[in-house]
Structures are given as C-alpha cells and as structure tokens.
C-alpha cells in the first residue's frame, strides 16, 4: 500500500490540497488526548498516491492550536515540546509512523536538495 493508504487505515487524514492538487501533509486529530499530530512529506497528487515520497517531519500540537484546513503558517511556533507529550501517546504515534514507513529501506541524506 501507499503511504496514504497505510496512514488513512490508521486513522490519519490527508492535508488540504494546494495548487495543482498536491498535498504535503497528513494529520491525526486525537480528541481524547487533546493533540493533533502533523506529518510532513514531499507531496502527492490527489488520486495518484503511489509515487515515491520523502517523509521528513512530524510535529505535535494541541487541538486548540491546529487548523486542519491550513496546518500552520509558521510551522514550529505553536508546536508542543516533546517533553509535554505523554509518553504513551508519543509511543503510539511513533509506532504508527514506523508501521506506515516500514516497507521502505531507502534513505537519502540529500533529499532537501532534490525537493
């Protein structure tokens, strides 16, 4: 399955499409925990999610600070420090992200130059 298929199967949502129908993030809203996790990646076109992508960042936010239609205009400014995230919740998210990306064995240290 594609990254989109794996993440949506785990309860994540696709971010808002940008110009040209491309989206570059997934998010998971956990109302009970009070957090939203945002995963940033190199991007996919809506309806063509089988391209190779690069996953490069994840951030935790309180639900009150997150707008799923826009993500964050200034990423990182409202990000919740990891020390404030409950260990069990953090562990579950890391498990989900590991599970979703486990089929890939490739790494590219120069990905920023290519995106």
């Amino acid at each position: 399955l594609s990254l989109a298929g794996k993440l949506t199967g785990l309860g994540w949502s696709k971010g808002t499409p940008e110009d040209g129908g491309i989206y570059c993030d997934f998010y998971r809203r956990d109302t009970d925990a009070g957090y939203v996790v945002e995963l940033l990646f190199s991007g996919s076109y809506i309806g063509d999610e089988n391209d190779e992508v690069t996953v490069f960042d994840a951030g935790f936010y309180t639900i009150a600070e997150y707008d799923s239609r826009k993500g964050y205009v200034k990423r990182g400014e409202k990000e919740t420090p990891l020390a404030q995230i409950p260990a069990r919740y953090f562990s579950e998210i890391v498990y989900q992200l590991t599970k979703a990306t486990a089929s890939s064995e490739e790494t590219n240290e120069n990905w920023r130059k290519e995106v």
Side-chain angles (χ1 to χ4, degrees):
L1 292 174
S2 67
L3 180 64
K6 291 175 186 177
L7 287 174
T8 55
L10 291 169
W12 292 68
S13 299
K14 296 175 186 175
T16 303
E18 299 173 9
D19 290 344
I22 192 168
Y23 64 100
C24 300
D25 66 309
F26 290 93
Y27 66 96
R28 180 179 173 92
R29 178 183 297 268
D30 292 304
T31 307
D32 291 343
Y35 293 102
V36 174
V37 183
E38 183 178 50
L39 178 70
L40 303 178
F41 72 106
S42 57
S44 257
Y45 290 99
I46 296 292
D48 187 20
E49 282 97 6
N50 292 321
D51 288 339
E52 288 186 21
V53 297
T54 300
V55 174
F56 55 85
D57 196 13
F60 291 79
Y61 303 90
T62 63
I63 285 180
E65 297 291 335
Y66 190 79
D67 181 347
S68 62
R69 294 165 303 179
K70 298 178 186 174
Y72 281 101
V73 176
K74 297 180 181 176
R75 297 190 191 282
E77 285 188 7
K78 297 180 181 180
E79 198 167 358
T80 303
L82 292 180
Q84 294 178 16
I85 304 298
R88 184 173 179 160
Y89 181 71
F90 176 79
S91 176
E92 177 62 27
I93 295 301
V94 169
Y95 171 73
Q96 288 181 8
L97 295 177
T98 301
K99 189 174 178 180
T101 59
S103 64
S104 176
E105 297 178 6
E106 294 183 37
T107 58
N108 181 352
E109 300 299 325
N110 297 315
W111 66 269
R112 285 192 189 269
K113 296 176 184 174
E114 298 173 9
V115 174

